[in-house]
Amino acid sequence: MNYAKIKWYDVSNGPGVRVSLYVSGCRNHCKNCFNPETWDFGYGQPFTANVENSILEGLKPDYIKGFTLLGGDPFEPENQLVLAPFLERLRKQYPKKSVWAFTGYDYEADLLTGRLGDGETVLRMLKCIDVLVDGKFVEELKDLNLQFRGSSNQRIILLKPSLEQDKIVLWDEQTVV
């Protein structure tokens, strides 16, 4: 797997100061995507053990509230195989830091059904993520007033209660995650 960039002090992709990893590879190709260079699976640098360790080190300070995974698309099958064990390692090392992920895929139709890659690997990833922003960016539904998403069709899903209750539980601004 390759990654496009790492933001060490990101305040745009989740609450608080975060470390954000932009992975390479996306088949959604949303019209007017803000990162079209990340559609290419070969773009950027290889995601190595040294890169993993750097990210984990970057999460150490108390003022870093969490980690955000976006791209490209972390849920592309090629990315799942690398990201599942990394997320498990991150979650084990930092159980109190929040983990957010962004995907152009639909939570119920694509991720929970096993339609996208290996269902067990997807579930491993979902269990490590606190908040999932799902859905393709739709230019016609673009709304600059939305927090943490670009278009009104995208949802901000609290994963733990959604998985436990087998129904969608949405995040709101009063939710601390």
Side-chain angles (χ1 to χ4, degrees):
M1 181 187 88
N2 279 5
Y3 71 98
K5 64 183 162 188
I6 299 169
K7 285 189 176 180
W8 299 103
Y9 308 102
D10 188 357
V11 294
S12 300
N13 296 300
V17 181
R18 316 179 69 71
V19 174
S20 293
L21 173 66
Y22 292 74
V23 301
S24 295
C26 184
R27 293 182 176 90
N28 285 312
H29 298 184
C30 300
K31 178 182 169 188
N32 289 325
C33 170
F34 78 106
N35 274 334
E37 65 277 4
T38 65
W39 296 351
D40 179 357
F41 286 87
Y43 180 79
Q45 303 296 317
F47 188 73
T48 64
N50 285 340
V51 174
E52 276 191 35
N53 292 336
S54 294
I55 291 171
L56 294 173
E57 187 66 26
L59 287 165
K60 273 188 178 178
D62 288 340
Y63 65 86
I64 300 292
K65 298 302 178 195
F67 174 74
T68 299
L69 185 58
L70 59 168
D73 201 299
F75 285 94
E76 291 292 356
E78 297 87 339
N79 295 336
Q80 295 170 14
L81 298 173
V82 174
L83 291 172
F86 170 67
L87 288 170
E88 290 168 341
R89 182 177 172 208
L90 186 153
R91 179 54 72 202
K92 184 175 182 180
Q93 191 166 338
Y94 296 106
K96 295 192 187 306
K97 304 259 184 186
S98 70
V99 177
W100 282 50
F102 289 72
T103 181
Y105 292 103
D106 180 89
Y107 174 68
E108 299 99 327
D110 300 317
L111 302 183
L112 289 183
T113 61
R115 187 190 78 73
L116 191 67
D118 178 65
E120 186 176 311
T121 303
V122 170
L123 189 56
R124 286 173 57 202
M125 290 176 66
L126 293 173
K127 286 180 177 180
C128 293
I129 297 167
D130 297 298
V131 176
L132 178 73
V133 181
D134 82 331
K136 291 181 181 181
F137 169 73
V138 177
E139 176 69 25
E140 296 75 24
L141 300 175
K142 182 178 180 178
D143 183 346
L144 297 177
N145 294 313
L146 295 171
Q147 193 172 21
F148 306 127
R149 55 202 166 121
S151 58
S152 60
N153 63 298
Q154 296 172 311
R155 302 176 296 177
I156 304 175
I157 301 169
L158 295 171
L159 281 181
K160 186 174 181 179
S162 293
L163 289 167
E164 288 173 351
Q165 299 172 31
D166 197 27
K167 69 176 188 173
I168 300 294
V169 178
L170 296 176
W171 177 87
D172 64 47
E173 293 178 28
Q174 287 74 45
T175 306
V176 178
V177 177

